[in-house]
Amino acid sequence: MALVCDAVFEGGGVRGIGLVGGVRGIEDAGYSFGNVAGTSAGAIVASLLGAGYTGSEIREEMLKLDFNKFQGEDWLTKLGLPGKAIKLFLTNGVFNADYLEDWLDGLLKRKGKTRFGDIRVSEPNVGKTKYRFQAVASDLSESRMLALPRDLVSFGIEPDHFSITKAVRMSMSIPIFYEPYILTDVDGRKHVIADGGLLSNYPMWLLDNRKPNPPRPTFGFKFCSSTSEEPDGEDFQQVCQLPDFLKALVRTTLDAHDKHYISVSKGDYQRTISISPVISLNGKRASVNSVDFAIKADEQDALYNNGLRAAKTFLRNWNFENWKAAYRSEARRTGETSRSR
């Protein structure tokens, strides 16, 4: 019998390489992915899975990437710090995401899955979504969270016809680093859309329908410094000049949200694959942060292997029936309802 799971992927910038390792570990155990969701870098990985890519295929494509090009530059940013400051003032972001968009759109075209209508689910009773892939973004203009593609309706946009790449682009608009995405509503108002990690970096709720007997497991892929989610050593960074400040600002925005918390009462920790961003190379340990676009090949390999090991370790103790009995049984749900009244 084929094993199918749903999955949610946390945002984490360059750390997304570790998510791919986690995907490969789950697939090695015989699972395939059904409905998927994610934020920022997690949305990139989830969108490719939703389009039909495997973990191995995503890994092969990432090996070809020059992550430095994710920092898309124009004539202003090439002028150095003064140019970057002017660009930030003019567009609310230093870099463009053209390279990332072109890369992702090209991969989706290979699978013939470029619009949300191409990835409608065939099992409407599984989960809460009409589409295999969902992403989270932040609407700064209305101070609200967007669950894409379903919230596109409020902009007068038919989800079936909307670009998957554009939804991912909205979700991974890292504040300060990337120019925000502008989405126009039916009244002609321009909404400024930024990284979904500002509001929900680990959107397990997108796929958790809270039914007492879910037909398949939902796994979470989340970054933490250790499997116990405790800080791992000194995490202090010197902040002196503007580049340091901007990097620290983005790092705090993306990494601090949900960093040490998963709702145990819902069983989220027990279904979460905890991937360490701490890598060991040549006897030295270092933590890969979200905006390490200059990450080297050996560092990428180490981060990928962290994810691979984390998935395999997780599966040694995973039992779906036991998890359901503990967190989704009718008796437990009835007790929780009574306590909440």
Side-chain angles (χ1 to χ4, degrees):
M1 181 179 178
L3 297 172
V4 181
C5 66
D6 294 338
V8 175
F9 298 88
E10 184 185 40
V14 174
R15 292 178 176 183
I17 299 165
L19 299 176
V20 181
V23 167
R24 177 62 187 273
I26 293 297
E27 289 178 338
D28 284 350
Y31 284 93
S32 61
F33 289 87
N35 298 331
V36 289
T39 299
S40 197
I44 296 175
V45 175
S47 69
L48 292 172
L49 290 172
Y53 279 90
T54 65
S56 296
E57 290 174 323
I58 299 173
R59 173 61 174 160
E60 289 176 8
E61 296 301 329
M62 283 193 164
L63 287 173
K64 304 172 188 176
L65 275 175
D66 180 353
F67 284 91
N68 280 309
K69 290 183 179 180
F70 276 23
Q71 299 179 107
E73 294 192 292
D74 56 21
W75 66 274
L76 262 179
T77 54
K78 290 178 180 178
L79 294 177
L81 185 57
K84 289 180 171 65
I86 294 172
K87 180 68 179 295
L88 178 59
F89 176 77
L90 293 175
T91 66
N92 296 316
V94 176
F95 302 108
N96 65 62
D98 294 350
Y99 176 80
L100 189 151
E101 281 194 66
D102 290 343
W103 172 75
L104 181 60
D105 206 46
L107 293 183
L108 294 175
K109 285 178 179 176
R110 289 188 205 171
K111 297 290 187 180
K113 310 287 186 184
T114 60
R115 309 288 173 179
F116 278 98
D118 299 325
I119 57 169
R120 274 186 167 271
V121 297
S122 57
E123 302 172 70
N125 292 323
V126 177
K128 300 190 299 182
T129 177
K130 297 178 182 178
Y131 306 94
R132 284 196 64 198
F133 162 65
Q134 296 180 86
V136 172
S138 303
D139 183 347
L140 302 186
S141 299
E142 290 195 336
S143 301
R144 64 163 177 158
M145 184 188 306
L146 298 178
L148 305 172
R150 73 184 188 202
D151 287 337
L152 291 170
V153 175
S154 65
F155 292 86
I157 298 172
E158 169 53 53
D160 273 10
H161 302 151
F162 197 76
S163 164
I164 297 171
T165 297
K166 295 300 183 185
V168 174
R169 168 67 175 88
M170 285 189 268
S171 182
M172 50 66 56
S173 299
I174 301 175
I176 307 298
F177 265 61
Y178 284 126
E179 301 168 16
Y181 189 93
I182 306 300
L183 191 63
T184 304
D185 65 20
V186 291
D187 296 319
R189 298 178 302 179
K190 297 184 182 299
H191 294 244
V192 177
I193 312 299
D195 196 292
L198 291 169
L199 298 177
S200 184
N201 208 31
Y202 186 55
M204 184 67 80
W205 50 273
L206 269 176
L207 297 183
D208 185 5
N209 57 24
R210 298 291 290 161
K211 290 183 178 179
N213 187 33
R216 62 197 189 202
T218 297
F219 295 140
F221 295 74
K222 189 180 191 303
F223 296 102
C224 61
S225 295
S226 69
T227 54
S228 61
E229 295 202 270
E230 292 298 324
D232 187 47
E234 182 64 41
D235 204 27
F236 179 82
Q237 284 198 350
Q238 200 75 24
V239 179
C240 299
Q241 298 179 331
L242 181 59
D244 299 322
F245 173 75
L246 296 179
K247 190 171 183 178
L249 178 62
V250 174
R251 176 174 173 269
T252 300
T253 300
L254 296 181
D255 294 353
H257 191 279
D258 295 334
K259 191 173 183 180
H260 304 303
Y261 177 78
I262 300 176
S263 176
V264 177
S265 64
K266 296 180 181 178
D268 287 352
Y269 178 78
Q270 288 74 14
R271 57 179 175 173
T272 293
I273 297 163
S274 300
I275 302 171
S276 174
V278 178
I279 58 175
S280 297
L281 291 172
N282 301 317
K284 297 181 179 180
R285 288 164 57 82
S287 180
V288 178
N289 70 52
S290 301
V291 290
D292 279 338
F293 292 108
I295 187 170
K296 299 176 183 177
D298 56 351
E299 295 171 332
Q300 294 180 41
D301 289 340
L303 189 55
Y304 173 85
N305 286 326
N306 278 2
L308 183 64
R309 283 193 298 271
K312 292 182 181 298
T313 299
F314 167 82
L315 288 173
R316 291 192 195 115
N317 300 312
W318 172 255
N319 183 291
F320 187 35
E321 295 304 319
N322 289 348
W323 183 88
K324 286 194 291 184
Y327 301 103
R328 289 295 185 272
S329 70
E330 192 63 45
R332 181 179 179 85
R333 285 170 56 83
T334 301
E336 289 177 349
T337 301
S338 299
R339 287 194 297 272
S340 66
R341 290 175 178 172

